[in-house]
Amino acid sequence: MILKVYTSLLLLFLINSVWTRTVRQVYDGLDPDHWSHYTSECPQECFCPPSFPNALYCDNKGLKEIPPIPARIWYLYLQNNQIETLSEKPFVNATHLRWINLNKNKITNSGIESGVLSKLKRLLYLFLEDNELEEVPAPLPVGLEQLRLARNKISRIPEGVFSHLENLTMLDLHQNSLLDSALQSDTFQGLNNLMQLNIAKNSLKKMPLSIPANTLQLFLDNNSIEVIPENYFSAIPKVTFLRLNYNKLSDDGIPPNGFNVSSILDLQLSHNQLTKIPPINAHLEHLHLDHNKIKSVNGTQICPVSIALEEDYGYYGNIPRLRYLRLDGNEIQPPIPLDIMICFRLLQAVVI
């Protein structure tokens, strides 16, 4: 199970470089006689590398509008410009687009022509970070695999906007203006293959409703969340990485076994208001509890299995897997209690 999780995450984070490198390899041997043809098609504001003919680089050019995109282009780089509108005209011939980077422009929802994005039927990656969007654009291409909308002004998610995005694996909405009311019980309906959901740096006070069941990574840092509902994580049984740093969680806001979840390998609860370590599962490998209000640590109490039982199993038995424990910024005085080391025999680092 753990191997499968790590394999999936590796694919999620490295796929960009892998398939870009593969395309480069395919075209490294391109016949120079074809270069003039590709150059003649290239918009004068942009750069078309002869060794990578499927890519069009129009980034950092001070553009206010998108130039006509040649039919051969798969990868389109338009970041760091002054673009305010997305219209259908530049994309008329660009029916093979897989990747569009429009980060750091001035695009608003009113500047997006109706249906322009959904007509890009082969698009897999859409980057619209650091723009002026106030809601998630709709409709979106049904084959989309990654949607990055960080650092906009999004406060609204239109109903059903994600309902047909069955291939989406990453949704990044961090650093926007989302309130609890923006996340309804059906907001994420249809995201059956979502692996990473990032809603950090918004204005949430509650845990979001109906997170897709296959989610592996859930990032909720820098909100104002106070309570973890009872059995919340039973609905997302594959969650592996959970980040809740910089929230308002207290001991009373966490159910007795709220984080005692076998799927969670990395749990981050830094910069909250905890006075004690919540119960954890024996499978947990990384625990971040720095900058809370914890005064003492009792290894016997927080040990997820009986220390006596550990002795029976021996070193290679079912012992806790915790390898990293961070407790600095609390009110704990060193040294590290011996019972911590007795319980967590695989610990490689303790920050106190």
Side-chain angles (χ1 to χ4, degrees), residues 121-124 140-146 164-165 167-168:
K121 298 186 181 301
R122 299 189 183 185
L123 195 66
L124 302 178
L140 292 163
V142 296
L144 211 58
E145 294 182 3
Q146 288 194 16
H164 301 294
L165 303 186
N167 296 326
L168 199 71

Side-chain angles (χ1 to χ4, degrees), residues 1-13 169 193-197 211-219 236-243 263-266:
M1 173 61 186
I2 293 176
L3 179 59
K4 183 178 180 181
V5 167
Y6 281 131
T7 302
S8 299
L9 292 174
L10 185 62
L11 287 173
L12 180 65
F13 286 116
T169 59
N193 290 296
L194 194 70
M195 296 169 63
Q196 183 186 105
L197 178 59
I211 300 297
N214 286 319
T215 302
L216 297 176
Q217 298 181 323
L218 179 58
F219 302 152
I236 41 176
K238 297 182 181 180
V239 64
T240 304
F241 293 84
L242 177 62
R243 291 198 335 215
S263 65
I264 298 178
L265 303 183
D266 190 299

Side-chain angles (χ1 to χ4, degrees), residues 183-198:
L183 305 179
Q184 300 298 314
S185 59
D186 59 351
T187 296
F188 301 113
Q189 185 175 349
L191 299 180
N192 299 326
N193 290 296
L194 194 70
M195 296 169 63
Q196 183 186 105
L197 178 59
N198 191 340

Side-chain angles (χ1 to χ4, degrees), residues 226-230 233 244 249-260 269 272 274 276-279 289:
E226 298 179 357
V227 176
I228 306 294
E230 190 82 33
F233 299 105
L244 280 159
L249 289 171
S250 64
D251 301 329
D252 293 337
I254 300 175
N257 284 296
F259 296 119
N260 188 358
L269 297 169
N272 278 278
L274 303 174
K276 59 184 179 181
I277 298 177
L289 285 165

